[in-house]
Amino acid sequence: MFTYVLKTLWRHRTRTLLTVTGAAVAMFVFCFVGSVQEGLLRLTTGSDADRSLIVFQENRFCPTSSRLPEDYSRKIKEVPGVRDVMPIQVWTNNCRASLDIVVFNGADPEQIQKTRPIKLTSGNWQQFASQRDAAIVGRNVAQRRGLKAGDQFSIGDLSVKIAGVFESTVPSEENLIYTSLAFLQYTRGLDAAGLVTQHEVMLTDDADPDRVATKIDAKLRAGSVATKTRRKGAFQASTLSDLVDLIGFAHWLGYACVGLVLSLVATTTVMSVQDRIKEYAVLQTIGVRPMRTMRLVLAESTILCLVGGIAGTTLALAALGIGGFAIGAEGATIAFRPSLGLAISGTVVSLIVGIAAGLAPALQAATVPIVNALREA
């Protein structure tokens, strides 16, 4: 049966090639959309998204507009349930949505090493900790900008010496550039001496995040700047609210791609069946049962869809792995990464769509009246 199906497809190889190509393009887009959705989910529901808090200036959004006193960290540490506090100064070249956003996070190097799941792939950590204008760069940023250890990197008012390139188990981390807190505070033009953008609060294991957040805001209410404290995941989701809506809309684009594959393969299979009506009638006269005829047509549509789907999925995963793509807004970034889940979903969707696309043509081929089919032929 398999040999017969392959010969049938080869007999109409131009049509087969166009159908496979169309299915591959649609599944390529489907996997890209899925990668964006996975990236958002990882960012807002990561392991530290609910066990860390972000203290930000109330009614502020872009990092450049939030200016909190650095010594707030001392008061925050006094709140029960707080294990540690890391003041962070954030600088970004663009607060709007961008595919090439550059985000600097200034913090104490020792705290960065302790709290961030990063590992240097090149360079020297000691140089980063001891040299004020040194920076370590995420792998994705280094790839997009062509940076390596020892380079000088300048953007806007900032100019840093690349002390190393790091990778991380958290994809969004690989789109950041880390510097010392003092460097960002005292760089000419930033005017941030004694100020930070936000305080990241690490909680004890038994702490209730929402209760601690309320206590922090109450304690800082008497300070010079009002604050709004939220779980890290909720803060990032709020920061990326516009992108969240856009990604939600893109979800329908993924469904549209699946519908496109279904329509394309079904149309091709129907045309193939119509072209071979006499052939199916002859098969019935020599004893081929209707169920076997159905399996022949279903195998044809499934092979078309699987080959195209797997090709498109493979190309999408390769592009995601090589490109290091990310989209960000207001200092937060969503990384697009290949994953086993994407590979499985692309293959499974291709299989299901291939079977669904072949059902109607298969029924037509299996129930064709022999005499009428021969007469029409």
Side-chain angles (χ1 to χ4, degrees):
M1 181 178 76
F2 187 69
T3 303
Y4 172 80
V5 172
L6 290 181
K7 286 182 177 179
T8 300
L9 293 174
W10 182 252
R11 199 187 313 165
H12 304 281
R13 45 189 172 273
T14 302
R15 186 165 64 194
T16 298
L17 179 61
L18 291 174
T19 305
V20 168
T21 302
V25 171
M27 290 309 299
F28 181 91
V29 177
F30 175 82
C31 288
F32 249 88
V33 172
S35 175
V36 176
Q37 293 171 328
E38 281 190 358
L40 178 62
L41 188 64
R42 281 193 301 263
L43 184 67
T44 56
T45 61
S47 59
D48 65 338
D50 287 331
R51 298 306 305 170
S52 297
L53 303 175
I54 298 295
V55 183
F56 208 72
Q57 185 173 349
E58 191 175 25
N59 299 321
R60 301 292 179 178
F61 299 96
C62 183
T64 57
S65 66
S66 176
R67 300 168 73 84
L68 298 176
E70 184 181 351
D71 64 3
Y72 268 12
S73 61
R74 177 178 50 81
K75 298 179 180 179
I76 295 172
K77 285 180 182 178
E78 297 172 357
V79 176
V82 174
R83 175 169 53 86
D84 197 8
V85 182
M86 182 166 67
I88 301 174
Q89 178 69 22
V90 180
W91 183 91
T92 176
N93 66 326
N94 191 352
C95 265
R96 294 172 297 178
S98 172
L99 287 171
D100 191 27
I101 190 171
V102 176
V103 181
F104 284 81
N105 276 11
D108 178 65
E110 186 177 335
Q111 285 189 308
I112 293 173
Q113 189 173 27
K114 189 191 305 181
T115 61
R116 295 296 189 261
I118 61 178
K119 176 185 176 183
L120 287 184
T121 57
S122 64
N124 186 291
W125 189 275
Q126 185 59 36
Q127 180 189 356
F128 170 60
S130 60
Q131 188 174 332
R132 179 173 165 178
D133 65 343
I136 53 174
V137 182
R139 181 176 59 176
N140 287 350
V141 180
Q143 186 174 327
R144 290 200 307 268
R145 295 278 177 165
L147 301 175
K148 61 183 183 300
D151 287 351
Q152 191 76 25
F153 176 58
S154 299
I155 183 169
D157 294 322
L158 300 181
S159 181
V160 293
K161 182 78 170 180
I162 306 301
V165 176
F166 66 84
E167 62 182 10
S168 174
T169 54
V170 180
S172 59
E173 289 284 331
E174 295 183 347
N175 295 291
L176 300 177
I177 299 176
Y178 282 108
T179 68
S180 68
L181 177 59
F183 172 74
L184 284 187
Q185 286 179 320
Y186 293 96
T187 294
R188 180 179 297 178
L190 299 187
D191 300 324
L195 300 174
V196 295
T197 302
Q198 63 199 43
H199 293 273
E200 183 168 338
V201 181
M202 278 64 74
L203 303 175
T204 57
D205 293 337
D206 58 347
D208 182 329
D210 296 325
R211 184 174 298 176
V212 173
T214 302
K215 290 181 178 179
I216 290 173
D217 288 335
K219 190 174 186 65
L220 299 177
R221 191 168 296 135
S224 58
V225 182
T227 61
K228 176 65 176 178
T229 304
R230 283 171 288 187
R231 299 189 189 208
K232 189 174 182 179
F235 170 77
Q236 290 171 326
S238 175
T239 300
L240 295 166
S241 57
D242 291 340
L243 283 179
V244 170
D245 293 339
L246 183 61
I247 291 170
F249 177 77
H251 186 71
W252 295 104
L253 177 61
Y255 287 133
C257 290
V258 173
L260 175 62
V261 176
L262 178 63
S263 174
L264 183 65
V265 176
T267 301
T268 300
T269 309
V270 166
M271 292 173 61
S272 177
V273 169
Q274 291 290 346
D275 289 345
R276 302 202 311 276
I277 284 292
K278 178 181 178 181
E279 188 174 318
Y280 290 123
V282 171
L283 288 175
Q284 288 188 54
T285 62
I286 61 176
V288 176
R289 294 185 175 276
M291 285 302 296
R292 186 173 180 83
T293 304
M294 285 187 66
R295 288 199 296 271
L296 288 172
V297 178
L298 285 174
E300 184 177 328
S301 67
T302 303
I303 289 173
L304 284 171
C305 205
L306 265 180
V307 171
I310 291 174
T313 300
T314 302
L315 286 173
L317 295 178
L320 289 168
I322 296 170
F325 303 110
I327 188 170
E330 299 182 12
T333 60
I334 300 173
F336 308 162
R337 291 282 290 274
S339 69
L340 180 61
L342 277 179
I344 293 173
S345 64
T347 304
V348 170
V349 167
S350 299
L351 177 62
I352 293 174
V353 170
I355 294 173
L359 283 175
L363 284 171
Q364 181 186 10
T367 57
V368 59
I370 299 177
V371 175
N372 291 345
L374 293 173
R375 185 179 295 128
E376 290 178 12

